[in-house]
Amino acid sequence: MAVDYLVIVVYLAGMLAMGWWGMRRARSKSEFLVAGRRLGPAMYSGTMAAIVLGGASTIGGVGLGYQYGLSGAWMVFTIGLGLLALSVFFSARIARLKVYTVSEMLDLRYGGGRAGIISGLVMWAYTLMLAVTSTIAYATIFDVLFDLNRTLAIVLGGSIVVAYSTLGGMWSITLTDMVQFVVKTIGVLLLLLPIAVVKAGGFAEMKAQLPTEYFDPLGIGGETIFTYVLIYTFGMLIGQDIWQRVFTARSDRTAKWGGTIAGTYCLAYALAGAVIGTAAKVLYPKLGSPDDAFATIVKDELPMGVRGLVLAAALAAVMSTSSGALIACATVANNDIWSRLRGTGADAPAGDHDEVKGNRAFILLMGLAVIGTAIAIDNVVEALTVAYNLLVGGLLVPILGGLVWKRGTVYGALASVVVGGVAVVVLMATHGILANEPVYYGLLASLAAYVIVSLATPATDAAVLAAWRERLAGRSPELASEPVPASQ
């Protein structure tokens, strides 16, 4: 294992070095939070794929393949579908808005700033729990690597992510995500996938050893697939962690086509994870938990050195999602909650140094909160379900409604957030966190409240809508001091 340890240590040291390098570039709020809105297609697509394919997509995706066969790909597949839908239909408009958070978009669309803090609280809860679930996954990986206890593993992995995220903000995260994307591609797609299939005797032997439902594309069940679409496909459309990456694109064309490439990559990654899990089922039919499939096949079947690289790939998957969720959580906490409570908006004048220093402090603070919460919570699936139920049930309707329906009003948006969010919480309490009803009925309640209240209240002021259309067209600058961007 000495070579494997060396690979992992070099990888972790490289992450910290990139954080230090990113600190030298992040000299303004725009550079720190959205990498100066300067990413080209190659870097944009790589980092976007890295953030959406986290520990749940890698370790969890293989686990679903172990449990259900090829249909276990559906969870990650719906993530890829959501990213494709976002990129094709919405990303160009989102990129042209030149904002930092989803709540700022709601303020621009509905006017008055009244939707911002409530939506900010919901989005903050989502990004916090998303970061927590990624941080918990460190325990699994470091247990395989170094036989560390759970708390120490969380502190070690979480501290490295917090360190490089705090130092360089989005520039550091972008650089580390590109490395993580390459490591995941080599480790999972090019090494683990073919090795697992060969070790299992090839596809013919896999089919001979396993029940036929393992090769049924719908074997996981139609209701489960539908729930995945509601939670993950729609969740990709509105998450702050995803939008903040869209804001890094240097043009709306980059956002559209770079995101399309990333979404297509996710579909291939989904199938790869399911195939690896299916192969693991042939090799280890009696594992105690499906989530042990990834670590077991890596530990027992891969040669020295390759094993270290594939474990680094799993670590990369976790770190990319964790860092993206962390900076999103800190951005929402600072821009949408703290600045509003102080009575200063996102556009309040401040020096670049003060802006970067303040956002760096919030990343550190949120990082400590994430590590502490991760130590206290045991169930990753429940934490992730709570996050996505709140996001989809509370924010999907007012965000997409604002983009496609001009009759939507600020009161309709507020009612939608409150009614949908409360319905989700109540139904999770009565039916259980993992039940399907919370997201089903919470989303319906949110939609009904949005439409009814919007139609019952005065239409949004014409001046607000005119300013909104200017932003959507890319004809308004991010700040008064910045030039209007050239049309794409």
Side-chain angles (χ1 to χ4, degrees):
M1 289 287 287
V3 175
D4 298 325
Y5 291 159
L6 180 62
V7 171
I8 298 297
V9 170
V10 169
Y11 168 75
L12 294 176
M15 295 301 99
L16 292 174
M18 288 182 187
W20 182 261
W21 188 88
M23 182 176 67
R24 300 168 63 88
R25 297 200 62 169
R27 300 182 183 277
S28 70
K29 178 181 179 179
S30 177
E31 289 173 335
F32 191 83
L33 294 182
V34 290
R37 308 188 195 273
R38 290 189 294 179
L39 298 192
M43 187 167 282
Y44 177 86
S45 58
T47 58
M48 182 62 87
I51 186 176
V52 300
L53 296 173
S57 299
T58 303
I59 298 171
V62 171
L64 287 171
Y66 182 89
Q67 188 173 3
Y68 298 104
L70 298 186
S71 67
W74 273 105
M75 183 187 78
V76 183
F77 201 82
T78 55
I79 290 173
L81 291 178
L83 187 51
L84 284 171
L86 173 71
S87 301
V88 172
F89 298 111
F90 300 107
S91 63
R93 282 182 282 178
I94 292 170
R96 288 195 294 263
L97 288 174
K98 302 296 183 185
V99 295
Y100 292 101
T101 68
V102 173
S103 294
E104 288 180 22
M105 167 264 168
L106 292 174
D107 283 348
L108 281 172
R109 166 59 182 82
Y110 296 109
R114 285 165 288 190
I117 193 165
I118 296 176
S119 63
L121 288 169
V122 175
M123 190 64 77
W124 174 79
Y126 156 73
T127 52
L128 178 72
M129 295 307 292
L130 185 62
V132 166
T133 59
S134 300
T135 304
I136 292 173
Y138 294 128
T140 301
I141 299 171
F142 281 110
D143 177 56
V144 174
L145 288 173
F146 306 118
D147 196 27
L148 296 178
N149 71 57
R150 180 180 182 276
T151 298
L152 185 58
I154 289 172
V155 171
L156 175 60
S159 296
I160 292 171
V161 171
V162 171
Y164 73 68
S165 300
T166 301
L167 286 171
M170 187 59 82
W171 268 122
S172 294
I173 292 170
T174 296
L175 293 171
T176 54
D177 276 0
M178 276 305 297
V179 174
Q180 289 157 0
F181 170 74
V182 172
V183 170
K184 279 191 287 191
T185 300
I186 295 173
V188 175
L189 294 183
L190 301 184
L191 292 176
L192 181 58
L193 174 61
I195 290 173
V197 172
V198 169
K199 292 284 187 178
F203 285 105
E205 183 65 20
M206 290 162 63
K207 285 187 175 181
Q209 292 285 336
L210 296 172
T212 56
E213 55 263 28
Y214 263 70
F215 301 91
D216 179 359
L218 304 178
I220 198 170
E223 185 177 359
T224 299
I225 295 170
F226 181 67
T227 302
Y228 284 160
V229 170
L230 281 183
I231 293 177
Y232 298 114
T233 300
F234 287 133
M236 287 295 106
L237 299 179
I238 59 174
Q240 169 68 25
D241 51 322
I242 309 302
W243 278 40
Q244 199 155 343
R245 294 309 173 97
V246 176
F247 300 150
T248 65
R250 72 183 179 200
S251 69
D252 51 10
R253 184 178 177 84
T254 296
K256 181 176 181 178
W257 294 110
T260 301
I261 293 170
T264 304
Y265 178 89
C266 291
L267 303 184
Y269 200 88
L271 184 59
V275 171
I276 293 167
T278 304
K281 183 67 175 180
V282 174
L283 295 168
Y284 311 100
K286 302 293 185 182
L287 288 180
S289 168
D291 285 341
D292 293 336
F294 180 89
T296 302
I297 196 170
V298 169
K299 190 174 183 180
D300 293 349
E301 302 297 336
L302 298 186
M304 186 184 308
V306 173
R307 180 171 50 212
L309 182 60
V310 174
L311 286 171
L315 199 57
V318 175
M319 283 186 160
S320 58
T321 299
S322 181
S323 59
L326 175 59
I327 193 170
C329 179
T331 303
V332 170
N334 190 11
N335 279 33
D336 297 336
I337 300 174
W338 176 242
S339 65
R340 294 171 193 271
L341 292 176
R342 288 192 308 158
T344 59
D347 294 331
D352 285 342
H353 177 73
D354 291 338
E355 291 276 16
V356 172
K357 184 179 179 181
N359 282 293
R360 187 172 280 138
F362 265 89
I363 291 180
L364 179 59
L365 181 63
M366 291 300 104
L368 294 174
V370 165
I371 292 172
T373 307
I375 292 171
I377 292 178
D378 287 326
N379 195 310
V380 179
V381 176
E382 288 191 357
L384 190 64
T385 302
V386 169
Y388 274 97
N389 280 352
L390 285 172
L391 177 70
V392 174
L395 291 180
L396 177 68
V397 171
I399 292 172
L400 294 190
L403 288 171
V404 302
W405 190 42
K406 66 179 181 180
R407 186 59 182 83
T409 69
V410 64
Y411 299 105
L414 287 170
S416 179
V417 173
V418 173
V419 171
V422 170
V424 163
V425 171
V426 171
L427 288 167
M428 283 193 296
T430 56
H431 289 73
I433 290 175
L434 298 180
N436 292 327
E437 287 83 359
V439 71
Y440 290 172
Y441 297 118
L443 191 55
L444 288 174
S446 179
L447 177 61
Y450 182 70
V451 173
I452 293 170
V453 175
S454 290
L455 292 175
T457 53
T460 304
D461 185 85
V464 172
L465 288 177
W468 166 253
R469 286 191 292 269
E470 287 292 299
R471 290 295 278 259
L472 278 180
R475 291 191 290 266
S476 293
E478 178 181 349
L479 297 172
S481 60
E482 295 186 1
V484 178
S487 59
Q488 303 299 329

